[in-house]
């Protein structure tokens, strides 16, 4: 590899009111390398890349590109310098077509009147997708395609023009393993063309496959830059958190009790087909599968958020009809949705008001809300779940992903639900907070609550669940007792639709 | 600097400036009688604006408040002439307002018609119905008790002002201290999150429109009493919804600016102790 440095950042400082987000950061990016920024949420990774992309201005420090000092005052300058950013939060416009989104801000125009050349854009978009080996129709509206596909569109955007630097902020957090594979292929290709890639991910396992060097950040400081092949994942985690993470115990099984929930032949179009399973008291039941396998949809049916075509739900042997989330909560079923920001939190409301939202009667005196009771309950939850905040009134839009998730968990703890469905509970959450959430889930199960956990992260499923159900294309493809013998290699074929042995 | 001040206190400054300008330009402006008269004039729009606030907080809109008020007013006028006392006419006016609001609510919450379209339709329907019932003619001559209760004076203080105050206080109370009020905010903040939290979105949304309709009914009672000389649809300001929506938005901006100004000062305080805030982010 040639060691020509494209971008060098020296002694970068950045403060936000009350927080020193970046403290004398040094960062170096070489031509044709994949450089990973690693750190817990709040470590300063996002701030650093936002300075590169022009979304934030540094307070002090020097940015050099090809040895020349540059001042990235806004996103426009950043783009002209050949820097492209794929943000973790989708920045697509739902009401526009895929092609229009890909070329947003860089529309292809026909002279003489600068008319947007839709056909040409669509054709080029098609070519990019072909190159990426994925199948998305560029004429469809962004709102009509799945989250995973939207992520791929986001990636396609940065491939429109030749870039020098591409920043990817958690590009794999919501896409399937197959798409991840394709993404890696694209990254390798870009790399061979000399493009430098800054890669942020919380999936440590995938780093070794693609990353050359890693810069670890913690609390706004850079802890060090290392070569991927020189370190182990455990060493990286130690660098990130500053201490060794306690290993999660294997799921304990002796507190699992009688059957609590029985689901029989639930169907919903061709999205969920004849799904049947049982859930025991105190059990953690993992749902593995590819994105789009119908797991979330099955859970939403169970929770009454969608209307099922057919099937039965039995709670403690008694058949129940669930038509709405309100009724589901009445039966003691809680659902922590996949997309925290879209349908988990009211971002414009405070932590306290979000926590009490699903069970306001608990903080009411008769007809009236008691602010005192509300604050007390919220304070208890915030403390018990270790939500990092300076005030319980803080608006939830200002919290990090991990803390937002804790607020949502807190909301459901307050409802006394017996069955809690976690849909992708650790998506976009850093390693430290992840361990806390696993611990919480485990603790809830020990208290006798039954947990269903939908996750696209296989190691997570294997680590946390007592039992694993695999779904593929709307059907339940297999079931495993987690007696310590299941492996990713055992589950994967079922997820992909191949034939596996069902235990 | 000026920009920042305008951003934080703009609306407050504008109102004070207007007040000073009017005081200087007319010797009668500051008369108690005139100030009371101003209050009397804004009391109807205040009451309806309170109803509109519930709707706007759920991120909806009600364009039909003008015709709703007119229709309720017609109902009150007609029932007053039936000689059945004044209680039933007043109640039926308010009830009719609530009923039309309920229809808005059903169209929007249950049938998922966009609020803008549903209430635009209701606007024509209510106006048409009012014209049809009255044949376009004027209703007048109402009993004096009615005129007193709806728009009289209580030792110089116009009674509608009292009504408006009561309505405002009740609304503040409902919005801030009841489950229903919290649900209203939650739905406006994120409808899907509210639904998945077990909030009955359709029910709460429908009630927001019913409350708006009831507010129109109350406004109609006052309007009817004030326009004793002859109630005619032309007397209901055709700009009522614009005035009302404007009132809601201006007050929202006012409180938003107030809140931001407050937050600025507390953020400035926060800067003095950054160590504490940094410590808070480290406790994983």
């Amino acid at each position: 590899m040639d060691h020509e440095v494209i971008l060098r950042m020296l002694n970068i400082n950045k403060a936000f009111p009350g927080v020193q987000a970046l403290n004398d950061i040094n960062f170096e990016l070489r031509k044709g390398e994949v450089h990973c920024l690693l750190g817990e949420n709040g470590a300063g990774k996002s701030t650093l890349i936002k300075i590169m992309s022009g979304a934030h201005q540094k307070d002090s420090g020097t940015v050099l590109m090809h040895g020349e000092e540059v001042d990235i005052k806004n996103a426009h300058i950043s783009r002209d310098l050949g820097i492209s950013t794929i943000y973790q939060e989708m920045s697509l416009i739902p009401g526009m077509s895929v092609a229009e989104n890909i070329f947003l801000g860089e529309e292809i125009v026909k002279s003489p009147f600068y008319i947007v050349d839709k056909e040409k854009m669509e054709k080029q978009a098609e070519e990019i997708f072909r190159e990426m080996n994925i199948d998305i129709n560029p004429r469809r509206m962004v709102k009509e395609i799945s989250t995973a596909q939207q992520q791929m569109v986001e990636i396609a955007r940065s491939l429109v023009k030749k870039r020098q630097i591409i920043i990817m902020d958690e590009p794999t957090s919501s896409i399937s393993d197959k798409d991840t594979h394709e993404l890696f292929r694209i990254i390798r290709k870009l790399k061979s063309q000399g493009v430098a890639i800054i890669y942020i991910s919380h999936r440590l396992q995938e780093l070794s496959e693609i990353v050359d060097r890693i810069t670890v950040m913690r609390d706004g400081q850079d802890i060090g830059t290392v070569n991927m092949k020189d370190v182990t994942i455990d060493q990286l985690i130690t660098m990130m958190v500053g201490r060794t993470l306690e290993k999660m115990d294997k799921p304990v099984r002796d507190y699992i009790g009688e059957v609590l929930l029985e689901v029989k032949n639930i169907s919903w179009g061709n999205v969920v087909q004849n799904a049947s399973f049982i859930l025991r008291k105190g059990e953690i039941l993992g749902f593995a599968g590819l994105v789009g396998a119908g797991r979330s949809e099955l859970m939403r049916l169970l929770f009454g958020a969608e209307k099922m075509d057919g099937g039965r739900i039995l709670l403690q042997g008694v058949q129940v009809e669930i038509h709405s989330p309100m009724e589901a909560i009445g039966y003691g079923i809680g659902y922590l949705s996949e997309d925290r920001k879209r349908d988990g939190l009211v971002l414009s409301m405070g932590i306290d008001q979000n926590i009490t939202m699903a069970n306001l009667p608990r903080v009411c005196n008769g007809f009236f809300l008691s602010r005192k009771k509300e604050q007390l309950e919220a304070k208890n939850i915030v403390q018990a779940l270790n939500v990092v905040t300076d005030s319980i009134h803080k608006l939830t839009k200002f919290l990090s992903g991990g803390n937002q998730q804790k607020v949502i968990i807190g909301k459901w703890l307050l409802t006394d639900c017996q069955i809690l469905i976690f849909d992708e509970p650790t998506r976009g959450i850093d390693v430290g907070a992840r361990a806390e959430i696993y611990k919480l889930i485990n603790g809830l199960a020990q208290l006798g609550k039954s947990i269903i956990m939908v996750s696209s992260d296989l190691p997570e499923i294997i680590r946390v669940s007592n039992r694993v159900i695999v779904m593929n294309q709307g059907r339940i493809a297999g079931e495993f007792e987690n007696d310590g013998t299941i492996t990713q290699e055992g589950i994967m074929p079922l997820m992909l639709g191949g034939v596996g042995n069902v235990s | 600097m000026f920009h920042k001040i305008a951003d934080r206190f703009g609306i407050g400054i504008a109102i004070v400036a207007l007040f000073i300008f009017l005081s200087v330009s007319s010797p009668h402006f500051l008369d108690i009688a005139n100030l009371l008269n101003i209050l009397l004039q804004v009391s109807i729009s205040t009451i309806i604006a309170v109803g509109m606030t519930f709707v706007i907080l759920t991120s909806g809109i009600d364009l039909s408040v003008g015709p709703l008020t007119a229709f309720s007013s017609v109902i009150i006028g007609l029932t007053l002439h039936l000689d059945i006392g004044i209680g039933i006419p007043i109640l039926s006016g308010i009830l009719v307002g609530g009923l039309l609001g309920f229809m808005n609510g059903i169209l929007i919450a249950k049938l998922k018609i966009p609020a803008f379209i549903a209430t635009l339709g209701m606007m024509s329907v209510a106006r048409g119905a009012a014209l049809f019932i009255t044949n376009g003619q004027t209703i007048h001559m109402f009993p004096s008790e009615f005129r007193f209760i709806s728009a009289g004076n209580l030792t110089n203080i116009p009674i509608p002002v009292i009504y408006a105050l009561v309505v405002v206080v009740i609304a503040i109370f409902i919005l801030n201290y009841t489950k229903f009020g919290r649900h209203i905010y939650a739905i406006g903040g994120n409808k899907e999150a509210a639904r998945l939290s077990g909030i009955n979105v359709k029910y709460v949304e429908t009630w927001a429109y019913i409350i708006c309709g009831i507010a129109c009914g109350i406004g109609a009672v006052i309007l009817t009493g004030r326009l004793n000389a002859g109630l005619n649809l032309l007397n209901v300001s055709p700009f009522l919804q614009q005035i009302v929506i404007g009132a809601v938005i201006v007050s929202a901006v006012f409180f938003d600016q107030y809140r931001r100004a407050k937050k600025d000062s507390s953020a400035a305080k926060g800067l003095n102790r950054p160590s504490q805030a940094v410590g808070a982010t480290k406790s994983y």
Side-chain angles (χ1 to χ4, degrees), chain A residues 17-20 40-41 219 243 300 303 305 325-326 329 341-346 348-349 353 356-358 360-361 367-369 371 374 386 388 400 403 406 411-412 436, chain B residues 173-180 182-183 185-190 192-200 263 267 270-271 273-284:
Chain A
V19 184
Q20 186 72 32
E40 293 188 82
N41 282 345
D219 299 328
R243 61 187 156 83
R300 289 176 65 88
F303 186 59
M326 196 172 49
I329 293 167
K341 289 188 177 167
R342 200 183 62 206
D343 47 29
L345 289 167
V346 180
S348 57
M349 286 168 81
Q353 302 197 348
T356 57
M357 186 167 296
L360 277 174
F367 187 64
F368 304 116
L369 279 183
R371 286 284 166 92
E374 179 168 57
N386 194 16
V388 181
S400 69
N403 284 314
K406 287 186 201 165
K411 171 167 89 176
W412 291 104
E436 277 186 87
Chain B
F173 200 80
I174 292 177
L175 287 174
N176 286 304
Y177 298 100
T178 67
K179 207 173 101 172
F180 177 74
R182 183 62 62 76
H183 287 176
Y185 278 107
I187 289 171
N190 186 341
E192 188 59 13
R195 188 173 80 101
L196 294 184
S197 297
I199 293 173
N200 193 338
K263 208 163 141 200
L271 264 186
R273 41 186 168 80
S275 55
Q276 194 185 339
V278 172
T281 59
K282 278 178 72 172
S283 58
Y284 277 129

Side-chain angles (χ1 to χ4, degrees), chain B residues 119-217:
Chain B
T119 57
L120 196 69
M122 179 58 75
M123 186 169 124
S124 310
V125 170
R127 199 168 180 83
L131 268 171
F132 180 75
I133 292 177
T134 59
N135 246 337
Q137 299 204 323
T138 313
I139 313 166
H140 51 96
M141 300 290 283
F142 302 130
S144 59
E145 317 95 273
F146 174 75
R147 271 154 50 208
F148 173 74
I149 286 202
S150 59
N153 281 328
L154 204 66
T155 63
N156 283 336
I157 296 177
I159 292 179
V161 175
I162 299 171
Y163 292 153
L165 267 177
V166 171
V167 166
V168 167
V169 169
I170 292 176
I172 288 175
F173 200 80
I174 292 177
L175 287 174
N176 286 304
Y177 298 100
T178 67
K179 207 173 101 172
F180 177 74
R182 183 62 62 76
H183 287 176
I184 292 255
Y185 278 107
I187 289 171
N190 186 341
K191 199 180 274 189
E192 188 59 13
R195 188 173 80 101
L196 294 184
S197 297
I199 293 173
N200 193 338
V201 174
K202 282 179 197 163
Y203 172 87
V204 174
E205 246 186 335
T206 307
W207 265 102
Y209 287 92
I210 295 175
I211 288 172
C212 190
I214 288 174
C216 292

Side-chain angles (χ1 to χ4, degrees), chain A residues 175-216:
Chain A
I175 63 178
S176 69
D177 285 353
K178 175 189 164 284
D179 288 340
T180 304
H181 195 72
E182 288 301 330
L183 176 66
F184 286 174
R185 200 179 53 79
I186 296 162
I187 290 178
R188 283 191 200 102
K189 192 168 165 198
L190 289 168
K191 207 174 121 169
S192 68
Q193 293 166 352
V195 179
I197 288 158
I198 297 173
Y199 189 88
I200 295 179
S201 174
H202 288 124
R203 292 191 180 175
L204 294 176
Q205 280 83 358
E206 71 188 24
L207 296 186
S208 57
E209 232 181 285
I210 195 79
V211 169
D212 301 312
R213 290 199 302 161
I214 297 169
T215 294
V216 180

